[in-house]
Amino acid sequence: METKTQKNPQLDKVRDIIEDIRIAMMTTIDEQGNLVSRPMAAQQMDEDGTIWFFTQRSSPKVDQIDNNQHRVNLAFVSVSDASYVSVSGTADELDDRAKIDELWNPQAKAWFPKGKDDPDLILLKVHTDMAEYWNASDSTMVRFFQQATAAITGNPPKMGENEKVYN
């Protein structure tokens, strides 16, 4: 995913964590009030903390977003790095052919076989209102040792950074 230096410097840490993850679980609320999540390939995090996705205009998530004050959550996970990010924000659909051209890439063709000119292809832009991250700076072996020590001592392990960031 392409990421840009953030206007809000507090979001730079979030950007650093998610730039190599690419796939987010996007959660919306369906017609029955259920939380519904699906994997989405993030295309870009722009300088305003907005995260961009391709989707189909006819997708149920578009109606779910419109029916629930545009509120969504994005979850980014890198198990190997023990890095986790939760982004709360508002999503809007956008039919912007210039932005679609800017973000289009060969991987998108697999999900949108009619190409970037498909009239059903639109963008979802998720404005970050708040992000929370957990990021372990230690290696897997050190984290394992910390967990084992915690199990013996009864003191919870210190597994790295945890911070909430508001945009």
Side-chain angles (χ1 to χ4, degrees), residues 51-70:
I51 303 172
W52 294 84
F53 301 88
F54 290 124
T55 195
Q56 294 173 319
R57 185 186 317 270
S58 58
S59 170
K61 74 179 141 305
V62 172
D63 288 334
Q64 292 166 2
I65 288 167
D66 287 343
N67 293 335
N68 290 286
Q69 294 140 2
H70 300 257

Side-chain angles (χ1 to χ4, degrees), residues 58-133:
S58 58
S59 170
K61 74 179 141 305
V62 172
D63 288 334
Q64 292 166 2
I65 288 167
D66 287 343
N67 293 335
N68 290 286
Q69 294 140 2
H70 300 257
R71 302 296 303 159
V72 298
N73 184 268
L74 305 174
F76 293 89
V77 175
S78 175
V79 175
S80 62
D81 295 333
S83 296
Y84 310 89
V85 176
S86 175
V87 174
S88 295
T90 53
D92 289 296
E93 63 266 13
L94 189 64
D95 189 353
D96 181 335
R97 294 294 141 183
K99 188 70 174 179
I100 289 172
D101 285 343
E102 174 191 334
L103 297 176
W104 188 256
N105 58 71
Q107 294 89 353
K109 180 85 170 156
W111 297 103
F112 305 96
K114 294 180 183 176
K116 63 183 178 181
D117 296 321
D118 181 348
D120 199 36
L121 174 66
I122 59 171
L123 296 165
L124 281 180
K125 65 181 212 170
V126 176
H127 171 76
T128 301
D129 294 329
M130 190 274 291
E132 185 170 10
Y133 65 84

Side-chain angles (χ1 to χ4, degrees), residues 9 41 91 149:
T149 302

